[in-house]
Amino acid sequence: MITINHKKKRFNFNLLSGIVWALFFIVKLIFSEDNSLNLLEYGWLILSLLYFFIYYFERFKPYITIDNDVICRYAPFPKRINIPDIIKVKHFAGEYSIETTSTSMKIQLSSISESDLSKLKSVIEQLQIKTNLV
């Protein structure tokens, strides 16, 4: 099984963003005179929770796994493509677009760690040679 991970910079940014939005919420909660919160402050709480969720998800789940002729991109709703079903692979604007007759998947190269980027490129090259795709 080949695993392709996110960049550390990416999930560190999400952690920092979650902390900043949580601090906005906590400071407003502590220093508020009337102890009432409006919709904006609840938005800060929701944003911080969202960033913490994204951080946790990206930190402990790989971006892509390739195993047993299946490419799986992990997200809150994972996407899977069977390698034998692939009919087209395109590289454009810093991303790979992999298509089958029924689904498509985009892989953003800017999200992948430098050490795993070479693994992904070698797999895509083998895939293009194997299936004679352009």
Side-chain angles (χ1 to χ4, degrees):
M1 175 160 73
I2 299 171
T3 59
I4 313 282
N5 293 314
H6 291 277
K7 282 186 177 179
K8 288 185 180 182
K9 183 188 276 188
R10 180 180 168 95
F11 55 76
N12 287 339
F13 173 78
N14 289 331
L15 178 63
L16 182 64
S17 297
I19 290 170
V20 167
W21 287 114
L23 284 176
F24 280 147
F25 178 75
I26 291 169
V27 166
K28 175 63 177 170
L29 190 63
I30 291 173
F31 294 113
S32 175
E33 301 244 345
D34 56 359
N35 288 335
S36 66
L37 298 173
N38 61 21
L39 189 59
L40 180 63
E41 284 86 23
Y42 286 116
W44 292 342
L45 177 64
I46 291 169
L47 271 176
S48 70
L49 292 175
L50 181 65
Y51 274 113
F52 286 134
F53 173 74
I54 292 170
Y55 165 76
Y56 178 79
F57 192 82
E58 289 182 354
R59 176 74 170 96
F60 297 107
K61 289 276 190 185
Y63 182 48
I64 298 170
T65 59
I66 302 169
D67 188 27
N68 295 333
D69 289 339
V70 175
I71 298 175
C72 182
R73 187 188 71 201
Y74 289 99
F77 303 104
K79 188 170 249 188
R80 291 176 172 80
I81 289 185
N82 293 327
I83 291 176
D85 297 340
I86 294 174
I87 58 171
K88 186 191 288 185
V89 175
K90 290 191 304 185
H91 180 262
F92 180 74
E95 68 182 20
Y96 282 113
S97 178
I98 302 172
E99 298 177 8
T100 65
T101 55
S102 60
T103 61
S104 68
M105 175 190 300
K106 293 190 187 261
I107 300 172
Q108 296 180 355
L109 299 179
S110 62
S111 298
I112 298 173
S113 69
E114 298 298 324
S115 61
D116 292 338
L117 188 58
S118 61
K119 287 194 287 187
L120 176 68
K121 286 184 179 181
S122 68
V123 168
I124 295 293
E125 286 174 8
Q126 290 174 359
L127 179 66
Q128 288 176 337
I129 291 170
K130 186 178 185 180
T131 57
N132 294 326
L133 297 175
V134 177

